[in-house]
Amino acid sequence: MKPIKVGLLGAGTVGAGTFNVLQRNQEEIRRRAGRGIEITMVAARNLDKARAVVGAGVEVVGDPFAVVNNPDIDIVVELIGGYDLPRELVLQAIANGKHVVTANKALLALHGNEIFAAAQEKGVTVAFEAAVAGGVPIIKALREGLTANRIESVAGIINGTTNFILSEMREKGLDFATVLKQAQELGYAEADPTFDIEGVDAAHKLTIMSAIAFGIPVQFDKAYIEGISQLQARDIRYAEQLGYRIKLLGITRRTQTEGKEGGEGIELRVHPTLIPSSRLIANVEGAMNAVLVQADAVGASLYYGKGAGSEPTASAVIADLVDVTRLATVDPYCRVPHLAFQPNQMTDVAIVPMAEITTSYYLRVYVKDQLGVMADLTRILADAGISIDAVLQKEPGDQVNLDIILLTHQTREKNIDAAIEKIEQLPAVISKVTRIRLETLS
Amino acid sequence: MKPIKVGLLGAGTVGAGTFNVLQRNQEEIRRRAGRGIEITMVAARNLDKARAVVGAGVEVVGDPFAVVNNPDIDIVVELIGGYDLPRELVLQAIANGKHVVTANKALLALHGNEIFAAAQEKGVTVAFEAAVAGGVPIIKALREGLTANRIESVAGIINGTTNFILSEMREKGLDFATVLKQAQELGYAEADPTFDIEGVDAAHKLTIMSAIAFGIPVQFDKAYIEGISQLQARDIRYAEQLGYRIKLLGITRRTQTEGKEGGEGIELRVHPTLIPSSRLIANVEGAMNAVLVQADAVGASLYYGKGAGSEPTASAVIADLVDVTRLATVDPYCRVPHLAFQPNQMTDVAIVPMAEITTSYYLRVYVKDQLGVMADLTRILADAGISIDAVLQKEPGDQVNLDIILLTHQTREKNIDAAIEKIEQLPAVISKVTRIRLETLS
């Protein structure tokens, strides 16, 4: 059988990795796929740099539409990043009847519904294992490995930059700004790190996983997103003393809302989260990724590995290329649906607003050291029906004031917010209450 | 589209789980698969018990060949266990043009080559996700998720019974016999636990993974198998003091053999293994399973979850049913090959004998407390070219003699065995040297 022909859009880090791994392991890959997979055309902004990567045998062009519109190309690999141009290119490739492989989580989190509908209509595949957790085959696990299950929740460390920063903050007792600067010098954080540190990148990935897990459309606009830039070194320290680690978790799970409008809903949220130190996922350190899935038949399962980087991401891109190659010519109905569920079998279960989520909380209240302040705090929580799991009292170093740390049982977010408002009105309370969510992940 | 019809061989724990999960999640599964999956016939030894599980709508028979020869059945699920009868049934099902799903690792480790060849010949699929690590989709990850990679090694905790026993021994400081008895009472170990505790079950699973990882035939007869029944509580304790945990690991990896016959080889071995406590896999406790894969592009990735039990195993059986259902009618060439590599693309890289493997070692030497014994020990190792990483000296409690524990650098197994022979001839050495292999898994 003739090799399948691949056109690459973008010859940056992942593009070069994809080319190199395909070259180095071509025998291994062909022995598996039963057919050669050849990159025959590359579009790149920097032509000389691209030529240095792919050598003489591959056509290098500046215009990505030349790849997308080339009738000789069977599969387009989109590695450009961003939203608008990739959207146009991917839709054009689909319109031309080409299969697409992409690592672009932003594109799919925002325009996935449109793109998957177009692909469905045209009978082609858009594959995106590389969009979530790099080389860890988590999309395949969720979409194919766990098909027997009603999935209950997905919780993941899905951004390497923030996990690296949090690991360093904890191990070395440093503050956020110092570690961010180091991470930038080491290449673990970008010059403009906003998307990573503010949780946007994690939310893109989580949005995709939520769709696959629950059979809902991608709904990035409904995601709650809170990053790690406000996190203080002392909260990491106090958490550790209480037996917890703080991780930036993306969490999506089924929930029940209250009241007469109550019913099934889906939580979709990214935020710093306390996790018991004894959990496997709490021990995922450095730039590594891990995704913990809870499902009714299989129980808990966890998937761990490198979430980014040239060859780990290339590993996922090429796995998609092999899958697409195998099924390039079959009836589209025989392929795995893009979002795990058949397109006419999606549900419209709503994403719930944050006020309606249920979780536990870490509260740090900075107070004047005076009689009765603990009684006032605990009274407010008791009146709100919120139970307390643990209390810690610490002198942060100024010899006059105190940090009081409280861990609560599960409650609705709106309840804790109302209680915090009352706490902040107490005369002994000096500043805003620090509130970090806590998940036992049991 | 009409539902696909499934015949179940065996209505025990996994059979009941498969039926129950298919019933409970039938909507969820149909929405994913795009087609109903129905168990219409069950063969069981105990007809009444089977009828109690599947209810009135399903035909229950005593003769499994009645299922295998029923022209209405599309897919046969083999959950009987053992070798001879399942082999006959599976080959008959294949001959009748039926797809097969099996959870039977023993069958595949011993007769896999014959069975896969017959399936290939007939153009049907034999799926076996449930044969390794229960509900964890590790077969799918190795076979489809990591197709881009040259896989370097697979190391797994793939037997829940032994991991439960080792966890209990460590946590409670108990000896093997005591914990085994408790495990039997709790249902974590069978009345005859030989296959689990002596490593045979793990070796079955490892044999299957080695074939998929490296593109070699299944070769259970070449596997080295050592169980945990000889493991002593004090070795677990000493290991912990040195920063290690002892796990029953199945390890298969590429290696280079020496000498004029030297070249590429594959290690295939199951034995108790020291692992640095800081590794994620060292912290997999209780009856849980985990598999760590090292591959050239993606680096290290780990897959964790329940390795046995009714519904976790059913989760894998049903995932296979969905996969087989999707591709039941396509050209077999479009399906994923049984052993990851195309059948005409397997290699004959040999499994190396244990004398040729390379690893590090934990040695415990029980000696009379007399001058010069440490010098004699270290001299023997130095003469054999074996470097020492750590030394620990302990009084095991008899007030007279000593345990000397040595951790070595990597060396060939034949070198350490030769050195041990010399050590055991020293006058101060009281009993056989305890030797446990050590893997840093870095």
Side-chain angles (χ1 to χ4, degrees):
Chain A
M1 217 174 191
K2 277 192 314 182
I4 202 155
K5 287 184 179 164
V6 177
L8 211 58
L9 309 181
T13 310
V14 178
T18 301
F19 187 85
N20 292 335
V21 174
L22 261 179
Q23 284 285 108
R24 186 176 71 227
N25 292 344
Q26 61 180 325
E27 262 306 292
E28 197 98 358
I29 294 165
R30 198 190 43 73
R31 286 173 52 213
R32 291 190 176 106
R35 186 172 175 190
I37 298 173
E38 272 180 22
I39 293 174
T40 57
M41 194 175 187
V42 176
R45 267 186 303 202
N46 186 329
L47 298 184
D48 289 340
K49 209 176 129 198
R51 282 199 191 96
V53 170
V54 301
V58 179
E59 187 179 0
V60 177
V61 296
D63 176 16
F65 285 94
V67 174
V68 159
N69 291 323
N70 181 341
D72 291 340
I73 296 292
D74 302 303
I75 309 175
V76 170
V77 176
E78 187 278 303
L79 301 171
I80 294 182
Y83 311 88
D84 294 338
L85 178 60
R87 173 179 162 276
E88 234 180 296
L89 287 164
V90 166
L91 289 173
Q92 183 66 40
I94 292 168
N96 289 338
K98 296 184 195 314
H99 302 290
V100 174
V101 174
T102 178
N104 192 334
K105 46 256 176 191
L107 174 71
L108 297 179
L110 272 81
H111 303 299
N113 300 325
E114 178 188 16
I115 288 169
F116 298 133
Q120 176 70 16
E121 178 76 24
K122 195 74 188 179
V124 297
T125 296
V126 176
F128 52 93
E129 183 64 76
V132 183
V136 184
I138 182 64
I139 297 296
K140 188 173 277 286
L142 282 170
R143 203 165 59 170
E144 304 172 38
L146 304 179
T147 41
N149 293 265
R150 181 177 157 91
I151 293 174
E152 297 299 339
S153 69
V154 178
I157 295 171
I158 44 181
N159 179 273
T161 304
T162 45
N163 203 53
F164 175 82
I165 292 172
L166 292 176
S167 295
E168 290 287 299
M169 285 177 74
R170 185 183 65 80
E171 274 169 30
K172 302 186 179 157
L174 298 171
D175 65 16
F176 173 79
T178 308
V179 176
L180 173 61
K181 199 153 163 282
Q182 290 177 356
Q184 286 172 317
E185 285 160 9
L186 289 166
Y188 282 112
E190 300 193 34
D192 178 359
T194 314
F195 262 37
D196 290 318
I197 65 173
E198 296 306 347
V200 179
D201 174 74
H204 286 148
K205 296 165 180 167
L206 184 69
T207 297
I208 296 169
M209 289 198 288
S210 77
I212 292 175
F214 304 118
I216 57 175
V218 292
Q219 294 166 73
F220 176 71
D221 57 326
K222 304 275 177 58
Y224 172 81
I225 310 173
E226 181 184 323
I228 63 165
S229 58
Q230 302 306 312
L231 210 59
Q232 296 196 25
R234 60 177 164 175
D235 290 314
I236 292 177
R237 198 167 64 242
Y238 296 154
E240 182 132 49
Q241 289 163 6
L242 288 159
Y244 294 83
R245 294 208 178 155
I246 299 182
K247 296 289 181 187
L248 183 71
L249 275 196
I251 300 168
T252 184
R253 76 169 155 216
R254 295 181 193 278
T255 189
Q256 290 292 326
T257 54
E258 287 171 322
K260 65 170 190 225
E261 304 260 309
E264 208 189 8
I266 306 251
E267 299 181 358
L268 183 61
R269 48 191 171 101
V270 172
H271 51 70
T273 313
L274 274 77
I275 310 170
S277 308
S278 59
R279 299 280 181 263
L280 219 51
I281 196 169
N283 292 281
V284 170
E285 300 292 357
M288 302 304 278
N289 280 202
V291 178
L292 176 66
V293 183
Q294 280 283 355
D296 71 339
V298 75
S301 57
L302 180 133
Y303 309 84
Y304 164 90
K306 285 183 186 151
S310 172
E311 295 208 349
T313 311
S315 172
V317 168
I318 297 170
D320 277 348
L321 283 173
V322 172
D323 277 1
V324 171
T325 297
R326 277 201 182 109
L327 300 177
T329 57
V330 306
D331 185 333
Y333 187 78
C334 298
R335 298 184 199 134
V336 181
H338 289 109
L339 292 177
F341 293 79
Q342 301 291 332
N344 60 353
Q345 296 289 330
M346 307 285 277
T347 74
D348 58 357
V349 183
I351 307 294
V352 299
M354 273 308 273
E356 295 297 330
I357 73 148
T358 302
T359 188
S360 303
Y361 294 87
Y362 163 104
L363 303 180
R364 177 169 53 78
V365 194
Y366 187 47
V367 299
K368 289 178 209 140
D369 186 5
Q370 60 188 43
L371 200 68
V373 58
M374 184 71 87
D376 289 343
L377 285 178
T378 50
R379 168 55 48 204
I380 289 172
L381 291 171
D383 287 349
I386 300 166
S387 303
I388 298 170
D389 240 10
V391 176
L392 183 69
Q393 184 170 311
K394 286 278 170 181
E395 282 188 11
D398 53 17
Q399 311 288 333
V400 185
N401 302 316
L402 290 177
D403 274 334
I404 294 177
I405 297 101
L406 302 156
L407 302 187
T408 78
H409 273 210
Q410 288 216 337
T411 184
R412 296 253 173 219
E413 181 130 329
K414 60 188 170 195
N415 297 342
I416 204 84
D417 283 348
I420 287 172
E421 218 178 295
K422 285 187 189 151
I423 288 171
E424 288 175 345
Q425 283 160 14
L426 292 174
V429 172
I430 301 165
S431 59
K432 300 286 280 180
V433 171
T434 297
R435 182 202 62 182
I436 309 175
R437 297 169 190 91
L438 182 158
E439 296 282 344
T440 53
L441 300 178
S442 61
Chain B
M1 215 171 190
K2 277 192 314 183
I4 202 156
K5 288 185 179 163
V6 177
L8 211 57
L9 309 181
T13 311
V14 178
T18 301
F19 187 84
N20 292 335
V21 174
L22 261 179
Q23 284 284 107
R24 186 176 72 228
N25 292 344
Q26 60 180 327
E27 263 307 291
E28 198 98 357
I29 294 165
R30 199 190 43 73
R31 286 173 54 212
R32 291 190 176 106
R35 186 172 175 189
I37 298 174
E38 273 180 19
I39 293 173
T40 58
M41 194 176 188
V42 175
R45 267 185 302 200
N46 186 328
L47 298 185
D48 290 339
K49 208 176 132 197
R51 282 198 191 98
V53 170
V54 301
V58 179
E59 186 180 358
V60 176
V61 296
D63 176 17
F65 286 94
V67 175
V68 158
N69 292 322
N70 181 341
D72 290 341
I73 297 292
D74 303 302
I75 309 175
V76 170
V77 176
E78 187 277 303
L79 301 171
I80 294 181
Y83 311 88
D84 294 339
L85 178 60
R87 173 178 162 277
E88 234 181 297
L89 288 164
V90 166
L91 289 173
Q92 184 66 41
I94 292 168
N96 289 338
K98 297 185 196 313
H99 301 290
V100 175
V101 173
T102 177
N104 191 333
K105 45 257 174 192
L107 175 70
L108 297 180
L110 272 83
H111 303 297
N113 299 325
E114 178 188 19
I115 288 169
F116 297 134
Q120 176 70 16
E121 178 76 23
K122 195 73 187 181
V124 297
T125 296
V126 176
F128 52 93
E129 183 64 77
V132 183
V136 183
I138 181 65
I139 297 297
K140 189 173 276 284
L142 282 170
R143 204 165 59 169
E144 304 172 38
L146 303 179
T147 42
N149 294 264
R150 181 176 156 93
I151 293 174
E152 297 299 340
S153 69
V154 178
I157 295 171
I158 44 182
N159 180 273
T161 304
T162 45
N163 203 52
F164 174 83
I165 292 173
L166 292 176
S167 295
E168 290 287 299
M169 285 177 74
R170 185 182 65 79
E171 273 170 32
K172 303 185 178 158
L174 298 171
D175 65 17
F176 174 78
T178 309
V179 176
L180 173 61
K181 198 153 164 283
Q182 290 178 357
Q184 286 172 318
E185 284 160 10
L186 289 166
Y188 282 111
E190 300 192 36
D192 177 359
T194 314
F195 262 38
D196 289 319
I197 65 172
E198 297 306 346
V200 178
D201 174 74
H204 287 148
K205 296 166 181 167
L206 184 69
T207 296
I208 296 169
M209 290 199 288
S210 77
I212 292 175
F214 304 119
I216 57 174
V218 292
Q219 295 167 72
F220 176 72
D221 57 325
K222 304 275 178 59
Y224 171 82
I225 310 174
E226 181 184 322
I228 64 165
S229 58
Q230 301 306 312
L231 210 58
Q232 297 195 27
R234 60 177 164 175
D235 290 314
I236 292 177
R237 197 167 63 241
Y238 296 153
E240 181 132 50
Q241 288 164 7
L242 288 160
Y244 293 83
R245 293 206 178 155
I246 300 182
K247 297 289 182 185
L248 183 69
L249 275 196
I251 301 168
T252 184
R253 77 169 154 214
R254 296 181 192 275
T255 189
Q256 289 292 326
T257 54
E258 287 171 323
K260 65 171 191 229
E261 303 260 311
E264 209 189 6
I266 307 263
E267 299 181 358
L268 182 62
R269 49 191 171 102
V270 172
H271 51 69
T273 314
L274 274 77
I275 310 169
S277 308
S278 59
R279 299 279 181 266
L280 219 51
I281 196 169
N283 292 281
V284 170
E285 300 292 357
M288 302 303 279
N289 280 202
V291 178
L292 175 66
V293 183
Q294 281 282 353
D296 71 339
V298 76
S301 57
L302 181 132
Y303 309 84
Y304 163 90
K306 286 183 186 150
S310 174
E311 295 209 349
T313 311
S315 172
V317 168
I318 297 169
D320 276 348
L321 284 172
V322 173
D323 277 2
V324 171
T325 298
R326 277 201 180 107
L327 300 178
T329 57
V330 306
D331 184 333
Y333 187 77
C334 298
R335 298 183 199 133
V336 180
H338 288 110
L339 292 178
F341 292 79
Q342 301 291 332
N344 60 354
Q345 296 288 332
M346 307 285 277
T347 75
D348 57 357
V349 183
I351 307 294
V352 299
M354 272 309 272
E356 295 298 328
I357 73 147
T358 303
T359 188
S360 303
Y361 294 87
Y362 163 104
L363 303 179
R364 178 168 53 78
V365 193
Y366 186 48
V367 299
K368 289 179 208 140
D369 186 4
Q370 62 190 42
L371 200 68
V373 58
M374 185 71 87
D376 290 343
L377 286 179
T378 49
R379 167 55 48 205
I380 290 173
L381 291 171
D383 287 348
I386 299 166
S387 304
I388 297 170
D389 241 11
V391 177
L392 185 69
Q393 184 170 310
K394 286 279 170 181
E395 282 188 9
D398 52 17
Q399 311 289 331
V400 187
N401 302 317
L402 290 177
D403 274 333
I404 294 178
I405 298 100
L406 301 156
L407 303 186
T408 77
H409 274 209
Q410 288 215 337
T411 185
R412 295 254 173 219
E413 182 131 328
K414 59 187 172 195
N415 296 342
I416 204 86
D417 283 348
I420 288 173
E421 216 178 298
K422 285 187 189 150
I423 288 171
E424 288 175 345
Q425 284 161 12
L426 291 174
V429 172
I430 301 166
S431 59
K432 301 287 280 179
V433 171
T434 297
R435 181 202 62 181
I436 309 174
R437 297 169 190 92
L438 182 157
E439 296 282 343
T440 54
L441 299 179
S442 60

